[in-house]
Amino acid sequence: MPNDKTCIYCPQSEPFRFCGVEHVIPQGFGRFGSGTPTLNCVCDDCNTYFGRELDQLLTRDTYEGISRYSRGQFSSQARSQKRVRLAFADPAEAGAFQGLRVALDGTTGQLMPFTVQFHIHNFRTGKDEVYFLSRIAGLTLPEADYGKPGADGEKGTWRCKILAPSREAYDAMVEALQSSGIAFRPGTPFQNPWAAETAAPSSLLVEITSEIEKPHKRAIAKILMNFVAFHLGRDEALRPRWDFLRCYVRNAAGEIKARLSQRPFWTGQETDELRLRDDSINVRIENLDGNIVGAIQFYNLYTYEMILVENESLGTAQEIGRRYTPDELPLEGEKRPV
Ligand SMILES: [Zn+2]
């Protein structure tokens, strides 16, 4: 039998290694009154590891994470996004600055001042690539992918531009390119469309691009594993049927089966209070297609569905759903007989 202190993610069972509490929903997404779900069965090593590797990524560098800013949930640090790419989308508003890569300040939810960037079209992939100053050294632009620069009065086929907040930054980029052997020659003179005399547009359409890769999926899977431990208890969470999930979350072992679901979140479980609210996080575990499946939806965006345990099922009372709205007590979804 496990003693009082056994970590649900690793074999740790020394009582003095359990000083902190693990938040089922990462703290960045808010507190839920006196009903904020926390766990005492995650050891300090795992807790620290999750905070650094998974929670920060989910709360700062995913679509869900930056969406929380518009719900008034901010970060303690500004820090620009690296995985999620935000770019000015609408050519009518952004003009020559279409495609400009920007970042959100996590402490305010506002755009950060942009930094100088070199854009070049890759004909092989059909996409524009963006390079910041720190990535210019050693950059090579094979002709087969990018075309060639103009030379000897002939126009080249490169499709490139430098976007800079100041003349100095622009010149620094030109110099960096040239010292890397990239024959960039300024064509159009530098201009800042939002110089002091012209008002910056009051709103700009921003395109958000991100990929849902393993660390992102593990961060979501961790919430589901925590949710299982919180609602079904530590003894259930320690059962071998959760081994795959715990190893996936803690050690990145294996690959979980996940998909984006189109189902309305509260089908069969909804009460009037649970219906669509775009400031909430919905979490559910249930039996589906012969498996135990977990689902999470942030702010009515996407619903992630993950197969947590294959070919197993929960008892009816163990299927459970909750809606978490910051500063409110969690609301329970009821599974109704179908
Ligand atoms: Zn642990």
Side-chain angles (χ1 to χ4, degrees):
M1 277 297 287
N3 67 22
D4 282 357
K5 293 290 184 192
T6 300
C7 180
I8 59 165
Y9 287 105
C10 77
Q12 181 62 259
S13 62
E14 292 289 346
F16 62 88
R17 304 292 294 166
F18 290 79
C19 297
V21 290
E22 162 78 1
H23 286 71
V24 173
I25 313 277
Q27 293 184 76
F29 288 101
R31 292 180 168 276
F32 311 98
S34 57
T36 299
T38 58
L39 295 174
N40 291 305
C41 52
V42 176
C43 78
D44 295 336
D45 287 344
C46 289
N47 192 333
T48 305
Y49 170 83
F50 291 148
R52 191 182 63 228
E53 300 294 325
L54 302 181
D55 293 350
Q56 285 196 4
L57 177 140
L58 187 67
T59 53
R60 294 173 177 176
D61 217 348
T62 63
Y63 186 32
E64 300 78 47
I66 60 174
S67 297
R68 76 195 163 100
Y69 301 146
S70 59
R71 276 86 180 172
Q73 304 293 331
F74 297 112
S75 299
S76 53
Q77 290 169 302
R79 210 195 275 214
S80 57
Q81 293 75 34
K82 293 196 167 63
R83 296 175 57 261
V84 177
R85 294 183 294 279
L86 296 93
F88 286 175
D90 184 356
E93 291 168 336
F97 276 52
Q98 190 194 0
L100 178 75
R101 202 65 78 68
V102 290
L104 284 173
D105 180 334
T107 62
T108 63
Q110 304 294 310
L111 287 181
M112 297 170 88
F114 75 96
T115 53
V116 60
Q117 45 201 267
F118 174 62
H119 292 223
I120 185 158
H121 188 74
N122 183 325
F123 291 96
R124 188 195 294 269
T125 62
K127 289 179 179 159
D128 287 337
E129 295 174 1
V130 179
Y131 296 94
F132 294 92
L133 205 51
S134 60
R135 293 204 40 214
I136 298 299
L139 180 66
T140 55
L141 303 173
E143 197 176 315
D145 296 349
Y146 299 92
K148 56 181 179 181
D152 306 325
E154 255 180 65
K155 202 165 157 37
T157 52
W158 274 1
R159 274 167 48 192
C160 62
K161 62 183 176 184
I162 292 174
L163 300 178
S166 68
R167 174 91 236 177
E168 293 72 30
Y170 184 90
D171 291 343
M173 179 61 87
V174 172
E175 197 184 315
L177 288 167
Q178 289 175 347
S179 51
S180 280
I182 294 168
F184 182 87
R185 279 169 307 171
T188 45
F190 166 77
Q191 48 173 278
N192 180 348
W194 301 302
E197 61 270 22
T198 46
S202 57
S203 72
L204 275 167
L205 204 60
V206 171
E207 190 174 81
I208 302 173
T209 319
S210 77
E211 284 164 32
I212 301 164
E213 14 73 315
K214 198 165 185 177
H216 187 172
K217 282 195 275 187
R218 287 172 60 219
I220 289 169
K222 178 177 75 86
I223 297 176
L224 293 168
M225 181 75 212
N226 283 353
F227 191 75
V228 165
F230 183 80
H231 288 293
L232 307 187
R234 189 199 54 152
D235 289 350
E236 170 65 39
L238 285 172
R239 288 177 63 187
R241 64 177 178 177
W242 303 99
D243 284 353
F244 173 82
L245 180 58
R246 90 179 88 247
C247 293
Y248 176 74
V249 171
R250 182 61 174 91
N251 307 319
E255 190 47 82
I256 204 161
K257 289 179 184 145
R259 65 178 180 189
L260 295 178
S261 168
Q262 305 299 320
R263 286 197 299 155
F265 197 89
W266 293 111
T267 308
Q269 297 168 78
E270 68 275 57
T271 62
D272 287 344
E273 290 173 299
L274 285 169
R275 288 187 187 282
L276 301 180
R277 275 184 64 164
D278 73 356
D279 57 352
S280 303
I281 299 163
N282 297 309
V283 188
R284 183 178 70 214
I285 42 168
E286 65 185 331
N287 299 317
L288 191 67
D289 304 329
N291 302 307
I292 302 174
V293 171
I296 296 190
Q297 182 193 52
F298 296 86
Y299 314 126
N300 293 354
L301 301 171
Y302 301 109
T303 299
Y304 298 91
E305 266 183 13
M306 294 184 169
I307 297 180
L308 307 180
V309 186
E310 283 190 82
N311 304 316
E312 292 243 19
S313 55
L314 297 167
T316 314
Q318 293 179 301
E319 293 182 273
I320 198 158
R322 283 284 188 280
R323 191 194 73 196
Y324 297 97
T325 307
D327 305 323
E328 293 179 17
L329 287 173
L331 265 180
E332 184 175 351
E334 281 174 38
K335 186 86 174 179
R336 292 173 177 171
V338 182

